[in-house]
Short mmCIF file of all heavy atoms in Angstrom, two decimals:
data_model
loop_
_atom_site.label_atom_id
_atom_site.label_comp_id
_atom_site.label_asym_id
_atom_site.label_seq_id
_atom_site.Cartn_x
_atom_site.Cartn_y
_atom_site.Cartn_z
N SER A 1 -6.89 10.91 3.75
CA SER A 1 -8.09 11.55 3.24
C SER A 1 -9.22 10.53 3.23
O SER A 1 -8.99 9.32 3.34
CB SER A 1 -7.86 12.07 1.82
OG SER A 1 -7.64 10.98 0.93
N ASP A 2 -10.44 11.00 3.09
CA ASP A 2 -11.58 10.08 3.02
C ASP A 2 -11.41 9.11 1.87
O ASP A 2 -11.68 7.91 1.99
CB ASP A 2 -12.88 10.87 2.85
CG ASP A 2 -13.27 11.63 4.11
OD1 ASP A 2 -12.76 11.29 5.19
OD2 ASP A 2 -14.09 12.57 4.00
N ALA A 3 -10.97 9.63 0.72
CA ALA A 3 -10.80 8.77 -0.46
C ALA A 3 -9.75 7.70 -0.23
O ALA A 3 -9.94 6.53 -0.58
CB ALA A 3 -10.44 9.64 -1.67
N ASP A 4 -8.63 8.08 0.39
CA ASP A 4 -7.57 7.11 0.65
C ASP A 4 -7.98 6.12 1.73
O ASP A 4 -7.61 4.94 1.67
CB ASP A 4 -6.29 7.83 1.07
CG ASP A 4 -5.56 8.44 -0.10
OD1 ASP A 4 -5.88 8.10 -1.25
OD2 ASP A 4 -4.66 9.27 0.12
N PHE A 5 -8.75 6.58 2.70
CA PHE A 5 -9.20 5.65 3.74
C PHE A 5 -10.07 4.56 3.12
O PHE A 5 -9.96 3.38 3.48
CB PHE A 5 -9.98 6.40 4.82
CG PHE A 5 -10.18 5.58 6.06
CD1 PHE A 5 -9.26 5.65 7.10
CD2 PHE A 5 -11.27 4.74 6.20
CE1 PHE A 5 -9.43 4.88 8.25
CE2 PHE A 5 -11.45 3.97 7.34
CZ PHE A 5 -10.53 4.05 8.37
N ILE A 6 -10.91 4.93 2.19
CA ILE A 6 -11.76 3.95 1.51
C ILE A 6 -10.91 3.04 0.62
O ILE A 6 -11.06 1.82 0.61
CB ILE A 6 -12.84 4.66 0.68
CG1 ILE A 6 -13.82 5.40 1.59
CG2 ILE A 6 -13.59 3.65 -0.20
CD1 ILE A 6 -14.80 6.29 0.86
N ARG A 7 -9.99 3.64 -0.13
CA ARG A 7 -9.15 2.86 -1.05
C ARG A 7 -8.34 1.79 -0.31
O ARG A 7 -8.24 0.65 -0.76
CB ARG A 7 -8.21 3.80 -1.82
CG ARG A 7 -7.25 3.08 -2.77
CD ARG A 7 -6.30 4.07 -3.43
NE ARG A 7 -6.99 4.91 -4.37
CZ ARG A 7 -7.19 4.62 -5.67
NH1 ARG A 7 -6.73 3.49 -6.16
NH2 ARG A 7 -7.84 5.45 -6.46
N TYR A 8 -7.74 2.16 0.80
CA TYR A 8 -6.84 1.25 1.51
C TYR A 8 -7.49 0.63 2.75
O TYR A 8 -6.79 0.13 3.64
CB TYR A 8 -5.57 2.00 1.92
CG TYR A 8 -4.87 2.65 0.76
CD1 TYR A 8 -4.74 4.04 0.68
CD2 TYR A 8 -4.34 1.89 -0.28
CE1 TYR A 8 -4.11 4.64 -0.40
CE2 TYR A 8 -3.71 2.48 -1.36
CZ TYR A 8 -3.60 3.86 -1.41
OH TYR A 8 -2.97 4.45 -2.48
N SER A 9 -8.81 0.64 2.80
CA SER A 9 -9.51 0.22 4.01
C SER A 9 -9.17 -1.21 4.43
O SER A 9 -9.07 -1.50 5.63
CB SER A 9 -11.03 0.35 3.82
OG SER A 9 -11.47 -0.44 2.72
N ARG A 10 -8.99 -2.12 3.47
CA ARG A 10 -8.69 -3.51 3.85
C ARG A 10 -7.32 -3.62 4.50
O ARG A 10 -7.10 -4.48 5.36
CB ARG A 10 -8.76 -4.43 2.62
CG ARG A 10 -10.13 -4.48 1.96
CD ARG A 10 -11.23 -4.93 2.91
NE ARG A 10 -12.50 -5.10 2.23
CZ ARG A 10 -13.40 -4.15 2.05
NH1 ARG A 10 -13.16 -2.91 2.51
NH2 ARG A 10 -14.54 -4.38 1.42
N GLN A 11 -6.38 -2.78 4.08
CA GLN A 11 -5.06 -2.78 4.73
C GLN A 11 -5.13 -2.08 6.08
O GLN A 11 -4.56 -2.55 7.07
CB GLN A 11 -4.03 -2.07 3.85
CG GLN A 11 -3.75 -2.79 2.55
CD GLN A 11 -2.78 -2.05 1.65
OE1 GLN A 11 -2.50 -2.50 0.55
NE2 GLN A 11 -2.24 -0.93 2.08
N VAL A 12 -5.84 -0.96 6.14
CA VAL A 12 -5.92 -0.18 7.37
C VAL A 12 -6.60 -0.98 8.48
O VAL A 12 -6.31 -0.79 9.67
CB VAL A 12 -6.68 1.14 7.11
CG1 VAL A 12 -6.93 1.91 8.40
CG2 VAL A 12 -5.89 2.01 6.13
N LEU A 13 -7.49 -1.90 8.11
CA LEU A 13 -8.16 -2.73 9.11
C LEU A 13 -7.18 -3.62 9.87
O LEU A 13 -7.46 -4.03 11.00
CB LEU A 13 -9.23 -3.60 8.44
CG LEU A 13 -10.55 -2.91 8.08
CD1 LEU A 13 -11.42 -3.84 7.25
CD2 LEU A 13 -11.30 -2.47 9.33
N LEU A 14 -6.05 -3.95 9.26
CA LEU A 14 -5.06 -4.78 9.94
C LEU A 14 -4.41 -3.99 11.07
O LEU A 14 -3.91 -2.89 10.84
CB LEU A 14 -4.00 -5.25 8.96
CG LEU A 14 -4.45 -6.20 7.85
CD1 LEU A 14 -3.35 -6.35 6.80
CD2 LEU A 14 -4.80 -7.56 8.44
N PRO A 15 -4.38 -4.53 12.28
CA PRO A 15 -3.75 -3.80 13.38
C PRO A 15 -2.26 -3.56 13.13
O PRO A 15 -1.69 -2.61 13.66
CB PRO A 15 -3.98 -4.71 14.60
CG PRO A 15 -4.27 -6.05 14.04
CD PRO A 15 -4.96 -5.82 12.73
N GLU A 16 -1.63 -4.40 12.31
CA GLU A 16 -0.21 -4.21 11.99
C GLU A 16 0.01 -3.06 11.02
O GLU A 16 1.15 -2.67 10.78
CB GLU A 16 0.39 -5.50 11.40
CG GLU A 16 0.48 -6.65 12.36
CD GLU A 16 -0.84 -7.44 12.49
OE1 GLU A 16 -1.83 -7.05 11.83
OE2 GLU A 16 -0.87 -8.41 13.25
N VAL A 17 -1.07 -2.57 10.43
CA VAL A 17 -0.96 -1.45 9.48
C VAL A 17 -1.60 -0.21 10.08
O VAL A 17 -0.92 0.72 10.50
CB VAL A 17 -1.61 -1.80 8.12
CG1 VAL A 17 -1.44 -0.64 7.15
CG2 VAL A 17 -1.00 -3.07 7.53
N GLY A 18 -2.93 -0.20 10.16
CA GLY A 18 -3.62 0.96 10.70
C GLY A 18 -3.40 2.19 9.84
O GLY A 18 -2.75 2.15 8.80
N GLU A 19 -3.93 3.32 10.29
CA GLU A 19 -3.77 4.56 9.52
C GLU A 19 -2.31 5.03 9.54
O GLU A 19 -1.79 5.50 8.53
CB GLU A 19 -4.67 5.64 10.09
CG GLU A 19 -4.65 6.92 9.25
CD GLU A 19 -5.71 7.91 9.69
OE1 GLU A 19 -6.34 7.70 10.74
OE2 GLU A 19 -5.89 8.91 8.97
N ALA A 20 -1.65 4.87 10.69
CA ALA A 20 -0.26 5.30 10.78
C ALA A 20 0.62 4.50 9.83
O ALA A 20 1.52 5.05 9.18
CB ALA A 20 0.24 5.15 12.22
N GLY A 21 0.38 3.21 9.73
CA GLY A 21 1.15 2.38 8.82
C GLY A 21 0.92 2.73 7.37
O GLY A 21 1.85 2.74 6.56
N GLN A 22 -0.33 3.02 7.04
CA GLN A 22 -0.64 3.41 5.66
C GLN A 22 0.06 4.71 5.29
O GLN A 22 0.56 4.88 4.18
CB GLN A 22 -2.15 3.54 5.47
CG GLN A 22 -2.57 3.65 4.01
CD GLN A 22 -2.21 2.43 3.20
OE1 GLN A 22 -2.52 1.30 3.58
NE2 GLN A 22 -1.52 2.63 2.10
N LEU A 23 0.10 5.64 6.22
CA LEU A 23 0.82 6.89 5.99
C LEU A 23 2.32 6.63 5.85
O LEU A 23 3.01 7.30 5.08
CB LEU A 23 0.55 7.86 7.13
CG LEU A 23 -0.87 8.44 7.18
CD1 LEU A 23 -1.13 9.12 8.51
CD2 LEU A 23 -1.11 9.41 6.02
N GLN A 24 2.80 5.65 6.59
CA GLN A 24 4.21 5.27 6.51
C GLN A 24 4.55 4.74 5.12
O GLN A 24 5.61 5.04 4.56
CB GLN A 24 4.50 4.21 7.57
CG GLN A 24 5.96 3.96 7.86
CD GLN A 24 6.13 3.22 9.17
OE1 GLN A 24 6.08 3.80 10.24
NE2 GLN A 24 6.30 1.92 9.08
N LEU A 25 3.64 3.93 4.55
CA LEU A 25 3.84 3.43 3.19
C LEU A 25 3.84 4.57 2.18
O LEU A 25 4.62 4.56 1.22
CB LEU A 25 2.74 2.42 2.83
CG LEU A 25 2.73 1.11 3.61
CD1 LEU A 25 1.54 0.25 3.16
CD2 LEU A 25 4.03 0.34 3.43
N ALA A 26 2.99 5.56 2.41
CA ALA A 26 2.92 6.70 1.50
C ALA A 26 4.21 7.51 1.50
O ALA A 26 4.54 8.17 0.51
CB ALA A 26 1.74 7.60 1.87
N ASP A 27 4.95 7.46 2.60
CA ASP A 27 6.22 8.17 2.71
C ASP A 27 7.39 7.36 2.16
O ASP A 27 8.49 7.89 1.99
CB ASP A 27 6.52 8.51 4.17
CG ASP A 27 5.68 9.67 4.68
OD1 ASP A 27 5.16 10.44 3.86
OD2 ASP A 27 5.55 9.80 5.92
N ALA A 28 7.18 6.07 1.92
CA ALA A 28 8.27 5.16 1.60
C ALA A 28 8.69 5.23 0.14
O ALA A 28 7.92 5.66 -0.74
CB ALA A 28 7.87 3.73 1.96
N GLY A 29 9.91 4.78 -0.12
CA GLY A 29 10.43 4.70 -1.47
C GLY A 29 11.03 3.33 -1.73
O GLY A 29 11.72 2.77 -0.88
N VAL A 30 10.76 2.77 -2.91
CA VAL A 30 11.26 1.45 -3.28
C VAL A 30 11.88 1.51 -4.67
O VAL A 30 11.27 2.07 -5.59
CB VAL A 30 10.13 0.39 -3.27
CG1 VAL A 30 10.65 -0.96 -3.73
CG2 VAL A 30 9.51 0.27 -1.87
N ALA A 31 13.07 0.94 -4.80
CA ALA A 31 13.69 0.79 -6.12
C ALA A 31 13.51 -0.65 -6.57
O ALA A 31 13.84 -1.58 -5.82
CB ALA A 31 15.17 1.15 -6.06
N ILE A 32 12.98 -0.84 -7.77
CA ILE A 32 12.78 -2.17 -8.33
C ILE A 32 13.70 -2.32 -9.52
O ILE A 32 13.58 -1.60 -10.51
CB ILE A 32 11.31 -2.39 -8.75
CG1 ILE A 32 10.38 -2.22 -7.55
CG2 ILE A 32 11.14 -3.78 -9.38
CD1 ILE A 32 8.90 -2.35 -7.90
N ILE A 33 14.64 -3.24 -9.41
CA ILE A 33 15.62 -3.45 -10.46
C ILE A 33 15.24 -4.72 -11.22
O ILE A 33 15.27 -5.82 -10.66
CB ILE A 33 17.03 -3.55 -9.89
CG1 ILE A 33 17.33 -2.34 -9.01
CG2 ILE A 33 18.06 -3.65 -11.02
CD1 ILE A 33 18.65 -2.42 -8.25
N GLY A 34 14.85 -4.54 -12.48
CA GLY A 34 14.36 -5.64 -13.29
C GLY A 34 12.85 -5.59 -13.37
O GLY A 34 12.17 -5.77 -12.35
N LEU A 35 12.31 -5.33 -14.56
CA LEU A 35 10.85 -5.23 -14.73
C LEU A 35 10.33 -6.39 -15.55
O LEU A 35 9.44 -6.22 -16.40
CB LEU A 35 10.49 -3.89 -15.37
CG LEU A 35 10.27 -2.70 -14.43
CD1 LEU A 35 9.09 -2.96 -13.51
CD2 LEU A 35 11.51 -2.37 -13.62
N GLY A 36 10.87 -7.57 -15.29
CA GLY A 36 10.40 -8.78 -15.96
C GLY A 36 9.26 -9.41 -15.19
O GLY A 36 8.42 -8.73 -14.61
N GLY A 37 9.26 -10.75 -15.14
CA GLY A 37 8.16 -11.46 -14.50
C GLY A 37 7.97 -11.07 -13.05
O GLY A 37 6.84 -10.88 -12.58
N LEU A 38 9.05 -10.95 -12.30
CA LEU A 38 8.96 -10.57 -10.89
C LEU A 38 8.69 -9.08 -10.73
O LEU A 38 7.78 -8.67 -10.01
CB LEU A 38 10.25 -10.94 -10.17
CG LEU A 38 10.61 -12.42 -10.08
CD1 LEU A 38 12.03 -12.58 -9.53
CD2 LEU A 38 9.62 -13.17 -9.20
N GLY A 39 9.49 -8.26 -11.38
CA GLY A 39 9.45 -6.83 -11.13
C GLY A 39 8.18 -6.14 -11.56
O GLY A 39 7.67 -5.27 -10.84
N GLN A 40 7.62 -6.53 -12.71
CA GLN A 40 6.42 -5.85 -13.17
C GLN A 40 5.22 -6.14 -12.27
O GLN A 40 4.36 -5.29 -12.08
CB GLN A 40 6.11 -6.20 -14.64
CG GLN A 40 6.01 -7.69 -14.96
CD GLN A 40 4.66 -8.32 -14.63
OE1 GLN A 40 3.63 -7.66 -14.75
NE2 GLN A 40 4.68 -9.57 -14.21
N LEU A 41 5.19 -7.34 -11.68
CA LEU A 41 4.09 -7.66 -10.78
C LEU A 41 4.31 -7.02 -9.41
O LEU A 41 3.38 -6.47 -8.81
CB LEU A 41 3.95 -9.17 -10.63
CG LEU A 41 2.77 -9.66 -9.78
CD1 LEU A 41 1.46 -9.07 -10.27
CD2 LEU A 41 2.69 -11.18 -9.78
N ALA A 42 5.55 -7.06 -8.91
CA ALA A 42 5.86 -6.41 -7.64
C ALA A 42 5.57 -4.91 -7.71
O ALA A 42 5.05 -4.32 -6.75
CB ALA A 42 7.32 -6.65 -7.26
N ALA A 43 5.88 -4.30 -8.84
CA ALA A 43 5.62 -2.87 -9.01
C ALA A 43 4.13 -2.57 -8.90
O ALA A 43 3.72 -1.58 -8.28
CB ALA A 43 6.16 -2.40 -10.36
N GLN A 44 3.30 -3.42 -9.47
CA GLN A 44 1.85 -3.22 -9.39
C GLN A 44 1.36 -3.37 -7.96
O GLN A 44 0.56 -2.57 -7.47
CB GLN A 44 1.14 -4.23 -10.30
CG GLN A 44 1.39 -4.00 -11.78
CD GLN A 44 0.72 -5.06 -12.64
OE1 GLN A 44 -0.50 -5.04 -12.84
NE2 GLN A 44 1.52 -5.99 -13.15
N TYR A 45 1.81 -4.42 -7.29
CA TYR A 45 1.39 -4.65 -5.90
C TYR A 45 1.75 -3.46 -5.02
O TYR A 45 0.94 -2.97 -4.23
CB TYR A 45 2.05 -5.91 -5.35
CG TYR A 45 1.23 -7.16 -5.52
CD1 TYR A 45 1.76 -8.27 -6.18
CD2 TYR A 45 -0.06 -7.25 -5.01
CE1 TYR A 45 1.02 -9.43 -6.33
CE2 TYR A 45 -0.81 -8.41 -5.16
CZ TYR A 45 -0.27 -9.49 -5.82
OH TYR A 45 -1.00 -10.63 -5.97
#
């Protein structure tokens, strides 16, 4: 969407990501086990 293109524009600019890659991330799922120093920051990123 226009809003998402603006939000993720810095990532989409990377040829390794592009719009197709950003859509791929939107389809992805990640399990984070442990929400301490590592997990809480990784979850935000």
